Amino acid sequence: MLFYTGLVIVACIVSSNAIFEKKCDAVDLVFIVDTSNSIWPVNFDMYIKPFLQNVTEMFLIGPGNKDSRVGLVTYSDDYHLQFHLNSHLTSSSLTQGIKNMNFPRGNTYTHKALEYATETMFTERHGDREDVPNLIIIITDGVSAKPTLTKTAADEAKRRGIQVFAIGVGIDVNSGELDDMASEPHETFAFRISEYSALRQISRNFANKRCGVLSTPKPSTTTRLTTTTRPTTTTTRPTTTTTTKPTTTTTRPTTTTTRPTTSTTRPTTTTTRPTTTTTRPTTTTVGTTTDGFNNDKNANVTYCAGKPADIFFVLDSSTSVYINDFRFKMLTFVRDVIHSFDISPEATRVGLVTYSDDVNPVFGLKAHRNKASLLKAIQPESVEYLSGSTNTAEAIKYVRTEGFKRGGSVRPDAAHVIIIITDGISKDPEYTKLEAKRARAEGADIFAIGVGKFTDDEELKGIASDPDSKYLFSVNNYAALNTIRNLLARETCDAISTPVPNDQTTQSGLPICSPSNIHFVYESGSKSFSERNALMNTMRRFTTDERYRGLPIKTSLTTDPCTASNKIPFAKLEEFRQQLDEMRSIQKVTMHSLIKRVRRKYTNVQPEVTKVMVAFVDEDTDDLKRIYREIRNAEYWGFKIMLVAIGNVDQKFLNMVDSSAQRNVVRVNGYGDLNKLVLDVPYLRCGENHTQTTIKVSTTNKPRTTTQFQIPSRSPR
């Protein structure tokens, strides 16, 4: 199970590159970082070091009793001390120490680093203080060489009162071992993320989680009032700063109220936190309310007057959502919003999906033909509370591929709307944003509603349609959903005024303006004649596709060669044995080595050329872990990846490959279906400016463009 959802903001609201208004309480913190052979040095420099730096910047570093101290040890075959808790007692010195950390390679002897940190680093001699909490943050991307010893070492650390956060990165991590290392509850202390790039998101939240875990929060009488200023939008809230822009001015009130304590009202004396003004390069307004009282102006919401719309509500039902909040506040909010729509087969239809570890389709668009039936179906006794982790990506994918499935229950002339309500970070934010991008590209308007302090603004922006001022909402608690119900209904009615067109034009139907190199890769040694024939027929159909005729596309094929000899003539026994040994000694060519070969041979091409690698794998393909590493290497060197998975290929591997916007997975049931497959290769750049990279392009009146990931120029390796 993945535990990314545990990364939550408890004490501070922070953003990357921010100056932190509030530092967390004092802590003696030791980072334990895996530098074994499985760690790619580029990830170490690009992601791990910045993560360590970003986390430490959230603490006040110094020699005093109220200051925090940081130590660092890496490990491979043995532990490698980088510096002790009392080595760097200023922020600038600590920053330099992290920059100077070395990278010893070897195996993954995690237990040695845990034992050294517990026995030696957390001692008075090396800077540990008796009255300050002790904390370990361990980062690894694989299974330890001695799992039993690792568990024993972690248990001893926890027995001594050290709290342990365990962060596992990538496909090789064992979730059970992460749980063994981490403190309890595991959903709070054990995290698993798909790639090192996701550490960037963790760094914005990690220290704040630490604040909430290690200190007891005081009862708050503070109302946080924030004005966010962005280039073309003005948001004005009572008692806060008003920022005026040269274009339009939108007034959204935020109610500051007294919260009930038991049966009485809270003291009216509040402390107002200094207003924070943040400037972002994109046009974004997040409407935020503070408490559960209605401040939604203009409550007279008219019906959407028969406009055809297919709406899916997608509700987070993970463990972080309190069951009564789900049953009596979230479901009530959905019913209240539905009151604003004209429900009928010809007008607005509604489907409902809940999710936690898995997706739970409650009912589809055809299930309820009138409002009375629909409202009755959205009652606590009808909609099951699930619990579990926060698998937002799969919920969006289900609605995209099944809920709005063409030729099924969806109406091509109706607007498609998804309304997502969540109170935490999804277990795979990058995959979540990718699925949201795919849904938007296929014509869906997505509203994202974040509830509480534990959501991530960047992820919500990645989910919601543009502009964020229209499609993104944030409220402080589930009671406050009541404050945005009418506003959401109005915005939804406005969104459905532009219906989805009858036809969706795929990206490959557009003229391709820039040169593209398509590299086909497959391993033939384990394939039968008919299977190899199916692969070659698929590639041949691509070359004869009328959509690509006359366009600047070049193709190549890389596969393993046939053996030099497949027969042995009559020979003496000794000669026969020698020739047999020679045939046996011919080394099998593996798929990961073929991908590496293409990457090394074709990296150095003109910058304007798009490099796409189309790799074929099946259920007999060996060493998927090494294939995944080579795919990541190829992606780093500028290749876009299309993986064609034939048959029963490991689903976990496919999800990892499909988690990046630079990679795409096509699944077929078997080689028989491969003979029917028409390759629709994504990533081929089109348009006048040659910068567009999309999987699908919608022809709605609200086009969305995804800017191509820019690969810095490098010399070939």
Side-chain angles (χ1 to χ4, degrees), residues 348-651:
T348 301
R349 302 184 306 174
V350 174
L352 179 62
V353 169
T354 61
Y355 69 93
S356 56
D357 294 317
D358 300 307
V359 181
N360 177 41
V362 181
F363 54 79
L365 296 170
K366 285 185 173 181
H368 301 285
R369 301 173 60 87
N370 58 67
K371 188 177 296 184
S373 171
L374 178 60
L375 294 176
K376 185 177 180 181
I378 310 175
Q379 297 291 337
E381 58 270 21
S382 304
V383 183
E384 179 187 6
Y385 171 76
L386 302 176
S387 79
S389 62
T390 311
N391 197 351
T392 313
E394 288 298 326
I396 298 173
K397 182 177 181 180
Y398 173 83
V399 173
R400 177 178 67 85
T401 59
E402 300 296 331
F404 291 147
K405 193 171 183 179
R406 296 287 174 186
S409 60
V410 74
R411 297 169 294 173
D413 60 334
H416 302 162
V417 178
I418 302 174
I419 300 174
I420 300 173
I421 307 175
T422 183
D423 75 344
I425 302 173
S426 69
K427 70 178 185 180
D428 193 337
E430 294 306 315
Y431 185 32
T432 298
K433 289 187 283 188
L434 176 63
E435 281 300 327
K437 181 177 73 173
R438 289 171 172 168
R440 296 194 305 266
E442 294 180 10
D445 287 296
I446 304 181
F447 291 88
I449 303 173
V451 181
K453 302 176 182 179
F454 303 158
T455 56
D456 181 74
D457 188 40
E458 291 302 315
E459 183 180 23
L460 291 176
K461 289 197 296 183
I463 294 172
S465 297
D466 292 328
D468 291 340
S469 57
K470 179 182 180 70
Y471 290 94
L472 179 58
F473 299 86
S474 179
V475 294
N476 284 355
N477 50 54
Y478 281 99
L481 285 172
N482 183 51
T483 68
I484 65 167
R485 63 184 181 186
N486 295 319
L487 177 59
L488 175 65
R490 289 197 303 274
E491 299 288 17
T492 305
C493 284
D494 182 55
I496 68 178
S497 63
T498 306
V500 177
N502 289 321
D503 296 317
Q504 295 276 324
T505 302
T506 62
Q507 179 272 339
S508 56
L510 297 174
I512 300 171
C513 304
S514 65
S516 301
N517 290 348
I518 311 296
H519 305 278
F520 293 103
V521 188
Y522 73 90
E523 175 268 313
S524 66
S526 62
K527 308 293 185 292
S528 67
F529 174 80
S530 61
E531 290 170 344
R532 289 195 298 269
N533 200 41
L535 290 167
M536 287 185 284
N537 285 339
T538 301
M539 291 180 280
R540 190 178 188 281
R541 283 195 301 275
F542 175 81
T543 63
T544 59
D545 195 318
E546 289 292 332
R547 295 173 298 174
Y548 305 124
R549 185 180 297 276
L551 296 174
I553 299 177
K554 294 182 179 180
T555 56
S556 73
L557 171 62
T558 300
T559 186
D560 47 327
C562 296
T563 57
S565 175
N566 58 4
K567 63 180 180 179
I568 302 176
F570 284 112
K572 294 180 180 180
L573 291 179
E574 185 175 349
E575 293 176 0
F576 183 80
R577 185 176 66 250
Q578 290 175 350
Q579 292 186 58
L580 272 179
D581 291 340
E582 289 176 3
M583 292 182 68
R584 291 174 57 191
S585 66
I586 296 175
Q587 194 171 30
K588 179 184 176 183
V589 178
T590 57
M591 187 64 184
H592 65 82
S593 67
L594 294 173
I595 295 174
K596 180 189 292 185
R597 184 185 304 172
V598 172
R599 187 249 303 171
R600 288 181 171 177
K601 184 175 181 179
Y602 296 106
T603 290
N604 191 26
V605 298
Q606 294 85 351
E608 68 272 12
V609 175
T610 299
K611 299 174 295 188
V612 181
M613 191 183 303
V614 181
F616 296 87
V617 298
D618 61 19
E619 55 198 39
D620 295 324
T621 303
D622 295 329
D623 210 348
L624 298 181
K625 294 178 182 178
R626 296 186 68 179
I627 292 173
Y628 177 68
R629 292 195 191 104
E630 285 303 324
I631 285 175
R632 290 197 310 179
N633 289 346
E635 180 184 6
Y636 177 81
W637 287 92
F639 286 86
K640 315 293 192 235
I641 308 297
M642 180 178 183
L643 187 77
V644 181
I646 307 164
N648 187 26
V649 181
D650 183 76
Q651 187 62 45

Side-chain angles (χ1 to χ4, degrees), residues 73 82 95 105 111 113 155 171 178 193 207 221 278 286 312 342 404 440 462 491 500-501 512 567 616 650 659 669 692:
V73 59
Q82 303 296 323
T95 297
R105 308 299 298 273
H111 70 282
D155 288 344
I171 194 172
L178 283 183
I193 56 179
T221 58
T278 305
V286 182
F312 264 97
D342 180 11
F404 291 147
R440 296 194 305 266
E491 299 288 17
V500 177
I512 300 171
K567 63 180 180 179
F616 296 87
D650 183 76
S659 64
N669 292 329
Q692 194 176 32

Side-chain angles (χ1 to χ4, degrees), residues 114 148 150-160 180-182:
L114 279 166
T148 302
T150 297
K151 182 179 185 303
T152 301
D155 288 344
E156 177 60 21
K158 290 178 284 188
R159 188 189 68 79
R160 297 190 184 193
D180 288 341
M181 290 190 288

